[in-house]
């Protein structure tokens, strides 16, 4: 078999990643992949198990979601409550709209919600910059939807004036709602499966992002009702169970780390994403958009 | 069944689209959908049948690609030659990388190419602005990858300095290649299935876009080899046949139209995409990125 047609510069690096490291560092150009592969351990931050929600779809397909920082505090709190209540057990994926979203929950809206969980949530989709818990690493290239964009505590953020918010990038998970001013209750979730629908930013609450198993979400058969809802002839995909990683025995908890967005490694990663100079590229872009800088996340093998 | 949780403002419009038109125009706000639904017929342009390439995947799934304007003239010419030669008959989809591309052709590279077809193509990925066949309708919002962006003759374009090019938006089809300066020969094709990888702009030749059947491409099972190539245990999806619509009998040719990007309707559509004010939205974005303005394309029912 001859060499396949590579599309990505990371291809080259991956293609030689079994070579000795010394040879790589001499011959291979700096790429986003090489930066994450050589970042020192102290640049990787662990995701706490109480922030990891494991959805198991039919066929034992696990989709693991990291809970977002509380920009939409009420929605994020409900996400935690519903996950702890195992509320999505026995629900289903009932909508798959190409280049847009996959949505799951209880379409009948008949399933009782956990006692005491607030169901009238505020339309809270951004936060004041002055309340930001950390400094934003600015991406340094124009954004089509905001005055600026960058990263904070491992998450992409956009900002204008005196507020910041989470963007609707690929793999982000949000809480569906009805027409404004309804803000939803957090029980119907969606994940972005196409080009980032950034017009939803500051209009719907984002509560997390998929850190593993995105392929099981993105490859579901598309629905053919309006907006990608499944018709009566199409089969929803059962959501078998939902569990917080913190509920599992210590030795069974999946462990993930993200590249610290305040680290030098991450800054290098962003700059290199914007200026690919490895052997595949003819012309570096000289820019990158927020949703094309996926914060590197890695799974740590279980130690038994 | 109660009302589903709508995510999109077009939902509202679609939800009442069976109401009398008069009632709609009074009660419904202007949305991207309402603009395309009410655009006069003269704002729609037909796509010539010689510009439509019909790929049939296993299971009679048709993926229809419109051939791109010749920004990469050599690659586009080869796309026409290979399609007319039925070269992709009996080839396969061998790579599906999540949030990136689906790729198909002859992975063995052993299949003979059509006699006389040039195989050493130029690295030609942009064109001088002064040679542009039409004026660019500028989008009017910042672009992360170019000085500006807009639309020309039904296609998205980006531009900087004195050149313009086609962008890697969702559904765009390109010609895979090896490391620069190799430019590929047009036989290995890919389609974008995730957030637009705009860093590939001006680095690989774009030859078309999917106008129908994208769901069959985007929902293929992801490959688990490096870069999403299928492993030996995973099954490539056969490409049964490729035909130009112009080869089919007149009564069997699929017919498509695109909304003229020089029309008032399209300008309204772009402005409304950037400023959604219908009942779902809390806050209009005030901006939109190039790959979030999908040029409206509609199929015209066959007349028998």
């Amino acid at each position: 078999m001859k060499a396949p047609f590579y599309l990505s510069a990371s291809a080259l690096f991956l293609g030689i990643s079994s070579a000795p490291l010394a040879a790589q560092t001499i011959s291979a150009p700096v790429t986003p992949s090489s930066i994450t592969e050589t970042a020192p351990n102290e640049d990787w931050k662990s995701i706490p198990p109480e922030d990891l929600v494991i959805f198991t779809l039919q066929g034992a397909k696990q989709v693991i979601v990291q809970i977002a920082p509380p920009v939409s505090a009420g929605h994020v709190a409900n996400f935690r409550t519903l996950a702890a209540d195992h509320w999505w057990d026995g629900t289903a994926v009932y909508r798959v709209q190409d280049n847009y979203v996959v949505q799951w929950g209880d379409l009948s809206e008949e399933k009782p919600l956990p006692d005491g969980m607030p169901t009238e949530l505020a339309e809270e989709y951004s936060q004041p910059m002055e309340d930001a818990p950390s400094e934003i690493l600015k991406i340094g290239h124009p954004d089509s939807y905001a005055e600026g964009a960058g990263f904070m505590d491992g998450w992409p953020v956009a900002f204008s004036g005196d507020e910041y918010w989470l963007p609707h990038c690929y793999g982000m998970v949000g809480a569906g709602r009805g027409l404004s001013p309804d803000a939803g209750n957090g029980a119907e979730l969606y994940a972005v499966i196409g080009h980032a629908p950034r017009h939803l930013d500051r209009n719907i609450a984002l509560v997390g992002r998929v850190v593993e198993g995105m392929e099981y979400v993105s490859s579901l058969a598309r629905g053919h009702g309006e907006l990608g809802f499944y018709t009566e002839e199409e089969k929803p995909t059962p959501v078998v169970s939902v569990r917080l990683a913190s509920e599992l025995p210590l030795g069974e908890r999946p462990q993930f780390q993200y590249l610290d967005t305040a680290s030098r490694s991450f800054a290098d990663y962003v700059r290199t994403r914007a200026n690919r100079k490895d052997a595949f590229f003819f012309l570096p872009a000289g820019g990158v958009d927020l949703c094309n800088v996926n914060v590197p996340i890695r799974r740590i093998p279980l130690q038994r």
Side-chain angles (χ1 to χ4, degrees), chain A:
Chain A
M1 190 182 88
K2 293 186 196 173
F5 286 72
Y6 288 135
L7 276 177
S8 156
S10 64
L12 180 67
F13 191 82
L14 286 167
I16 61 165
S17 64
S18 57
L21 187 64
Q24 276 185 38
T25 50
I26 291 168
S27 66
V30 174
T31 67
S33 299
S34 73
I35 289 169
T36 57
E37 286 171 23
T38 58
N41 272 330
E42 60 263 31
D43 286 353
W44 292 91
K45 301 282 183 194
S46 291
I47 300 176
E50 55 268 28
D51 285 352
L52 290 172
V53 180
I54 305 161
F55 290 92
T56 303
L57 306 183
Q58 191 176 44
K61 294 172 176 173
Q62 286 199 338
V63 179
I64 304 183
V65 175
Q66 178 187 8
I67 299 177
V71 172
S72 300
H75 295 84
V76 168
N78 278 12
F79 186 27
R80 291 186 187 278
T81 300
L82 290 157
D85 191 59
H86 301 175
W87 191 83
W88 286 285
D89 289 17
T91 62
V93 178
Y94 51 75
R95 176 189 183 195
V96 184
Q97 183 172 0
D98 195 56
N99 192 19
Y100 203 43
V101 295
V102 163
Q103 192 167 343
W104 65 98
D106 171 40
L107 186 57
S108 75
E109 296 184 40
E110 288 168 0
K111 185 167 184 167
L113 294 166
D115 282 345
M117 189 184 84
T119 56
E120 302 283 326
L121 300 176
E123 287 193 293
E124 182 183 41
Y125 307 125
S126 64
Q127 290 293 332
M129 285 289 260
E130 63 186 18
D131 295 346
S134 307
E135 204 173 339
I136 295 173
L137 172 78
K138 295 180 182 172
I139 205 167
H141 302 288
D143 188 276
S144 303
Y145 294 86
E147 284 175 22
F151 299 87
M152 183 170 59
D153 296 339
W155 291 81
V157 293
F159 54 91
S160 287
D162 60 357
E163 62 176 2
Y164 73 95
W165 61 90
L166 296 171
H168 275 76
C169 297
Y170 189 90
M172 292 290 280
V173 174
R177 64 168 174 85
L179 299 180
S180 178
D182 175 56
N185 57 29
E188 306 307 299
L189 297 177
Y190 64 91
V192 172
I193 60 163
H195 187 75
R198 295 276 309 275
H199 54 288
L200 299 177
D201 291 4
R202 292 189 285 176
N203 278 288
I204 316 189
L206 289 166
V207 298
R209 67 175 159 200
V210 177
V211 295
E212 190 175 275
M214 187 61 197
E215 64 175 295
Y216 302 127
V217 177
S218 58
S219 65
L220 289 168
R222 276 49 181 161
H224 294 89
E226 281 180 7
L227 302 169
F229 283 87
Y230 284 138
T231 64
E232 302 219 345
E233 290 73 42
E234 294 171 330
K235 282 194 183 165
T237 298
V239 177
V240 176
S241 71
V242 60
R243 296 292 180 272
L244 284 157
S246 53
E247 293 179 68
L248 302 180
L250 275 175
E252 295 176 17
R253 297 175 179 177
Q255 293 178 43
F256 291 89
Q257 295 180 327
Y258 64 91
L259 189 61
D260 183 358
T261 50
S263 70
R264 169 68 183 273
S265 298
F266 185 79
D268 288 345
Y269 174 84
V270 174
R271 191 169 49 251
T272 310
R273 289 283 302 174
N275 297 284
R276 301 284 289 259
K277 291 177 179 168
D278 30 295
F280 181 82
F281 284 84
F282 173 71
L283 189 69
V288 66
D289 77 306
L290 181 60
C291 292
N292 248 326
V293 182
N294 304 300
V295 175
I297 293 176
R298 66 182 186 185
R299 190 192 250 264
I300 306 299
L302 294 179
Q303 289 160 2
R304 294 180 189 269

